[in-house]
Amino acid sequence: MARMSSSSSLAAATANLDEALGFTIPHRNARGRIVRLGPLLDHILSAHDYPAPIARILSEALVLSALLGSLLKEEEGQLTLQAQTERGIVDLFVCDYKAGELRGYVRFDAERLAELPSHRDLAALFGKGYLAITFDHPLAQERYQGIVPLEGSSLAEAAQSYFSQSEQLPSIVRLAVDDTGHVAGGILVQHLPEGEEGRDRLHTRLDDPDWEHVGALAQTIKGHELTDPHLSLDGALWRLFHEEEVRVMQTVRLAKGCRCNFDYIKGVLGRFASDERADMVDEDGFISVDCEFCSRVFPISLKDLGD
């Protein structure tokens, strides 16, 4: 067997990063998404000097956002994942997905984090918290939001609770971050009502034999399989469901995306009255607008706004 060169190996690994792949298992009435993030993750995390536990929870949240966001059928749709807490070390995190673009931000108390004995305790990080998942469908002029308590030992468990409580849809969610912190992956597998997407959810049962079978297989996936950049996403699916008929969809390429450009911010400020904008001006003569997502500051003058 010919040995792969280091450059070829790197190219192969990179080809399996920053993408989402949808799939269905028709005769088992199941669907799913599998995601792996790499350079995109570094790009988002590099905007802030996050300590390892915070970088990890944000990485998991970004993977979850990609899993859920890639379910959207209309290109202009947006998925927003937000956690707000009471007395938590993390008091806010927000991620969103739109047309294959991801962004995310975490606000936290660094002093309290340093005193925390276990960084994997979800309750210690978030205190009494809630996870809000919002789907925006602008073409249909619809917005749907589900809110569930941030309970359980992981963000994946909280997401499973969301589908169980808000969607009444049996689901398996697995999230993983590798030891380097540079690669993260996840999988979402769901039982479809009546075997078809979009039909009334009348017959989704946790004890359905087809779902029990698929769910049991999905839970065997290992964290290193989700984060191994040398293993393609369809290869990971084959390992899980090689005895099943699996139909894969077109791969969705993922990228870091933030809407904090000069024209967008001008448009937002333009919605304020002239006297309100004048009150926002600092001593240097600018309205300074911060973007927490990418840690950039945009100085906008009143002249830029036509005042």
Side-chain angles (χ1 to χ4, degrees):
M1 180 181 294
R3 179 175 297 176
M4 184 180 290
S5 69
S6 59
S7 59
S8 298
S9 178
L10 178 61
T14 303
N16 297 321
L17 295 171
D18 295 343
E19 59 184 26
L21 181 65
F23 63 93
T24 63
I25 309 175
H27 68 289
R28 296 288 188 182
N29 301 338
R31 72 172 179 185
R33 294 289 188 276
I34 185 168
V35 165
R36 188 179 296 130
L37 305 181
L40 156 63
L41 198 62
D42 286 338
H43 194 181
I44 293 176
L45 296 177
S46 66
H48 298 273
D49 187 20
Y50 291 119
I54 300 301
R56 184 182 188 87
I57 199 71
L58 179 55
S59 298
E60 291 181 348
L62 288 165
V63 171
L64 182 57
S65 297
L67 288 170
L68 301 181
S70 59
L71 293 172
L72 291 164
K73 294 181 179 179
E74 63 178 83
E75 188 173 344
E76 294 303 313
Q78 180 172 320
L79 175 283
T80 303
L81 184 71
Q82 184 171 341
Q84 291 186 323
T85 71
E86 298 176 16
R87 300 181 298 278
I89 290 173
V90 174
D91 68 344
L92 172 70
F93 83 64
V94 59
C95 301
D96 68 30
Y97 171 103
K98 184 177 183 180
E101 293 187 340
L102 288 164
R103 61 180 182 172
Y105 167 70
V106 181
R107 188 174 66 208
F108 65 99
D109 187 324
E111 293 184 2
R112 290 177 60 197
L113 180 68
E115 299 170 355
L116 188 65
S118 172
H119 293 145
R120 293 183 180 269
D121 187 336
L122 200 67
L125 283 173
F126 290 99
K128 182 181 179 182
Y130 295 89
L131 182 67
I133 301 176
T134 306
F135 292 91
D136 282 297
H137 305 276
L139 294 181
Q141 296 184 331
E142 292 180 349
R143 166 180 282 200
Y144 174 76
Q145 184 179 75
I147 300 176
V148 293
L150 265 170
E151 297 175 343
S153 61
S154 67
L155 192 58
E157 284 191 20
Q160 284 186 183
S161 295
Y162 161 79
F163 282 111
S164 175
Q165 296 176 29
S166 297
E167 299 279 335
Q168 290 82 52
L169 201 60
S171 305
I172 300 294
V173 181
R174 292 291 180 270
L175 305 172
V177 182
D178 76 351
D179 291 338
T180 70
H182 295 288
V183 181
I187 190 169
L188 165 67
V189 185
Q190 298 179 308
H191 178 39
L192 289 177
E194 295 286 323
E196 294 183 21
E197 294 190 52
R199 292 182 64 175
D200 291 339
R201 295 171 182 171
L202 300 177
H203 301 289
T204 51
R205 305 193 329 265
L206 289 173
D207 61 349
D208 182 285
D210 284 328
W211 171 244
E212 286 184 336
H213 177 75
V214 171
L217 291 176
Q219 293 185 73
T220 65
I221 196 165
K222 304 293 191 295
H224 67 83
E225 292 175 305
L226 290 170
T227 60
D228 181 359
H230 297 283
L231 176 63
S232 66
L233 295 183
D234 55 356
L237 291 177
W238 186 86
R239 286 188 183 183
L240 274 182
F241 305 118
H242 58 275
E243 295 181 353
E244 306 295 331
E245 178 193 348
V246 179
R247 298 177 185 174
V248 297
M249 304 171 189
Q250 184 175 0
T251 299
V252 176
R253 295 298 301 172
L254 304 171
K256 188 261 185 183
C258 196
R259 294 175 285 283
C260 62
N261 59 64
F262 186 80
D263 290 336
Y264 174 79
I265 293 172
K266 275 179 58 180
V268 172
L269 291 175
R271 299 170 194 164
F272 291 88
S274 296
D275 57 339
E276 292 178 309
R277 294 198 293 263
D279 290 339
M280 300 178 192
V281 174
D282 60 26
E283 59 185 16
D284 295 321
F286 293 96
I287 301 174
S288 295
V289 180
D290 298 346
C291 176
E292 298 289 6
F293 286 103
C294 59
S295 194
R296 295 173 65 191
V297 179
F298 293 83
I300 310 289
S301 70
L302 293 179
K303 185 182 299 183
D304 293 326
L305 299 172
D307 291 352

